[in-house]
Amino acid sequence: MQYDNGGELLVAHLESLGIDTVFGIVSVHNLPLVEAVDRRLRFVPVRHEATAVNAADGYGRARGSIGCALTSTGTGAGNAAGSLIEALSAGTAVLHVTGQVESRYLGSGRGFIHETKDQLGMLDAVSAYAATVTSARDAGRVLREASAAALATPGGPASVEWPIDLQYAAQEDAGQAAPLRAAPSPDPDELTAAQALLGEARRPLIWAGGGACHARPELAALLEATGAGLLSSNSGRGSVPEDHPLVIGNFATTPAARALLADADVLVTIGTHFRSNETADYRLKLPDAHIQIDADAAALGRVHPARHALHAEAAAVLPTLTGAAARADTDWTARVTAVRDEVRAALHDDIGPQAALCDALAAALPRGAVVARDVTIPSSSWGHRLLPIHDPRANVFPRGGGIGQGLGMGIGAALARPDEPTVVIAGDGGLAVHFGELLTLAQERPRLTLVVFNDGGYGVLRNMQDKYGERRSGVDLFTPDFGPLAAACALPYARIAAPEEAAPVLETALASDGPTLVEVDLTALGPMKNPFTPPVKIPTA
């Protein structure tokens, strides 16, 4: 195939991936790419390169596919690095195409505008794949290899740096396909032993991580066949809809779930990393009879010992296990459903007046609508657990724990699914990291409700310092008046200051066909029963 320039080649590649919206910032070192995208697709000019990657990430998660971000070289590519780390941590598919100086000056160190030392090395450190386009004949191959790497298991962002002279050049693309990775295959003896163990179990539990989201029908079949309880990591939420009576959810560290784990005679874990914040800093005890399924061989036995480690895609191996599994004792299944109700009721009570917001969102959101959650107390306490998720594509949040990324992810998700409302849960501190993206909201007008929980600073760290220290440091911040701020950005605004205001305000915002900024005044609303602190070790405590 022949293309007039690299931009036309890039657009053809993006269309082959089903991508219709691209996020980025225009530059002298990516102009041919941006202009071609803007002619044939939708180009969204975000206000920071980090947001370009976050938005592309959210777009891909909401569609269950891949997103694309365009940045400039040097500082622009460096600005994207933190968001690439998030996508790498989450294993989400992002194609990041960044500019580069003219190929004849590449690596010369002479201070060419936008030049930086070893940009490829930086990108390689924060990406699952990184490569340089070296000629007008290999750009298509590099783009296909990058996209294949991003979409593979365990996946992650793929970065391509493209010298500007080679972007302007006419392209010749031979069209060769990227090599396919062979699917992993479990050890036959381990699989047979796992089948036997499940055939004898009468008190089974299942733990679904992000890898289970690619095996939803197979997981549901195992759950129905066994009557087991389903725990999940945050990333595994929605792999089975959370209104299913056997779904306990992201509550593994609660006393009732710990007691279930202690009494279970087998635990099947699927595609989970056992992150520190979901295992009480690795202090959570799992049953010795542990069957671990993961497509990433390095994950097997890395955190918890596995009696039977199955290196496999979950969708391929779960039917074999289901066929051999026995039905749980009826009193065990009844206990699972009781624990499900108990942990939810306890958390609902514990969050005090914020329960009204959780209830209002659950009632007003269409089933499967995206709930993007930045790092903030409402997300960490009830957004990640109590607010129901019925589809893993709706479960958008920074898995690496970086603050300030939620709005960008929400913008990407909202533009990926324009026919339904998207909610972003953010704190005032996290939102301040990327205030400029309020202008992106105003310009692009997605159907997005931004719910800002305003407590005048970094509430999580403030609670930690109040609990364990004698003074506060760096946590109390100046907060803007959100009403005039929204007005300056041409955004509709509403305020929630009492529990009874939550339902009508959120119903109206979610019914809108454009963006709305909703401020939750936490001082007026009142405190939770118990201040939230994260599950991290404090040596002086």
Side-chain angles (χ1 to χ4, degrees):
M1 295 291 293
Q2 304 284 329
Y3 299 93
D4 290 342
N5 56 47
E8 296 301 316
L9 170 62
L10 175 64
V11 168
H13 176 66
L14 296 179
E15 289 176 336
S16 76
L17 294 171
I19 293 174
D20 59 13
T21 303
V22 177
F23 307 87
I25 293 181
V26 66
S27 161
V28 296
H29 283 125
N30 66 15
L31 195 57
L33 309 181
V34 170
E35 289 178 340
V37 166
D38 193 47
R39 279 194 299 271
R40 288 172 50 185
L41 307 175
R42 180 176 185 172
F43 179 71
V44 177
V46 296
R47 272 47 177 188
H48 195 280
E49 291 88 354
T51 301
V53 175
N54 285 143
D57 190 347
Y59 174 96
R61 294 192 205 192
R63 289 169 60 119
S65 59
I66 186 171
C68 180
L70 300 181
T71 68
S72 183
T73 187
T75 303
N79 284 345
S83 298
L84 291 169
I85 291 172
E86 161 57 29
L88 185 63
S89 174
T92 50
V94 175
L95 176 61
H96 168 226
V97 182
T98 186
Q100 185 52 285
V101 302
E102 293 181 33
S103 54
R104 60 178 169 163
Y105 299 128
L106 188 58
S108 65
R110 63 174 64 192
F112 197 92
I113 184 172
H114 294 176
E115 181 187 10
T116 189
K117 177 184 177 183
D118 192 15
Q119 176 173 286
L120 184 63
M122 176 192 71
L123 295 172
D124 183 63
V126 295
S127 305
Y129 171 101
T132 305
V133 173
T134 58
S135 78
R137 290 184 299 275
D138 74 347
R141 173 189 60 79
V142 172
L143 289 172
R144 285 188 291 276
E145 286 184 358
S147 302
L151 288 162
T153 301
S159 293
V160 174
E161 59 171 11
W162 202 335
I164 185 60
D165 57 316
L166 300 181
Q167 293 178 40
Y168 279 112
Q171 309 288 310
E172 295 181 17
D173 182 22
Q176 68 271 36
L180 296 176
R181 298 185 184 182
S185 180
D187 180 274
D189 293 338
E190 287 293 319
L191 182 55
T192 299
Q195 290 176 290
L197 182 57
L198 271 178
E200 298 170 355
R202 296 297 180 271
R203 300 185 306 280
L205 287 176
I206 305 167
W207 183 313
C213 297
H214 305 293
R216 297 167 65 192
E218 295 82 3
L219 175 57
L222 176 62
L223 194 65
E224 295 290 346
T226 59
L230 181 66
L231 297 165
S232 74
S233 70
N234 207 353
S235 300
R237 297 186 64 203
S239 52
V240 174
E242 290 190 333
D243 55 359
H244 191 290
L246 296 177
V247 175
I248 300 166
N250 186 21
F251 287 90
T253 57
T254 62
R258 286 175 187 256
L260 272 182
L261 285 165
D263 292 339
D265 58 5
V266 67
L267 173 67
V268 180
T269 65
I270 306 166
T272 183
H273 287 173
F274 298 109
R275 295 179 187 272
S276 60
N277 59 325
E278 296 168 342
T279 58
D281 236 356
Y282 307 118
R283 296 190 297 266
L284 185 67
K285 182 173 175 53
L286 301 189
D288 292 333
H290 175 203
I291 300 169
Q292 185 177 7
I293 304 167
D294 208 294
D296 182 2
L300 295 168
R302 179 170 54 196
V303 177
H304 289 281
R307 181 177 296 181
H308 303 299
L310 304 179
H311 182 212
E313 298 277 1
V317 76
L318 282 177
T320 303
L321 295 179
T322 300
R327 187 75 186 175
D329 292 340
T330 55
D331 59 346
W332 178 255
T333 300
R335 182 179 169 189
V336 164
T337 59
V339 167
R340 165 192 163 79
D341 294 340
E342 176 186 342
V343 295
R344 281 169 169 71
L347 181 55
H348 192 274
D349 180 68
D350 197 50
I351 61 177
Q354 291 193 31
L357 288 117
C358 182
D359 294 345
L361 286 170
L365 281 168
R367 188 178 180 84
V370 171
V371 181
R373 308 180 300 284
D374 199 12
V375 178
T376 187
I377 286 177
S379 297
S380 298
S381 57
W382 53 266
H384 291 342
R385 294 174 177 81
L386 193 60
L387 187 62
I389 298 291
H390 304 308
D391 183 335
R393 294 171 298 180
N395 187 30
V396 176
F397 67 98
R399 298 180 194 179
I403 194 171
Q405 302 183 84
L407 177 55
M409 289 181 170
I411 291 171
L415 293 176
R417 294 161 67 168
D419 296 329
E420 61 187 41
T422 291
V423 167
V424 173
I425 296 175
D428 58 293
L431 181 63
V433 176
H434 289 299
F435 265 148
E437 302 312 333
L438 294 177
L439 303 177
T440 305
L441 274 184
Q443 179 166 318
E444 300 299 321
R445 314 301 296 178
R447 193 175 172 187
L448 185 151
T449 298
L450 171 59
V451 185
V452 182
F453 288 78
N454 183 6
D455 63 0
Y458 299 134
V460 174
L461 278 300
R462 178 191 291 143
N463 287 347
M464 289 181 64
Q465 291 180 0
D466 288 349
K467 183 175 181 179
Y468 299 116
E470 296 179 353
R471 66 189 303 273
R472 294 179 179 178
S473 301
V475 296
D476 295 319
L477 305 176
F478 177 82
T479 299
D481 187 335
F482 282 100
L485 177 64
C489 298
L491 295 173
Y493 167 82
R495 177 173 173 267
I496 296 173
E500 62 271 17
E501 296 172 357
V505 167
L506 291 172
E507 286 172 6
T508 299
L510 290 168
S512 169
D513 61 0
T516 302
L517 193 159
V518 175
E519 177 188 3
V520 180
D521 186 335
L522 289 173
T523 300
L525 187 70
M528 294 180 173
K529 286 191 173 182
N530 295 300
F532 174 83
T533 56
V536 296
K537 295 176 182 176
I538 304 294
T540 58

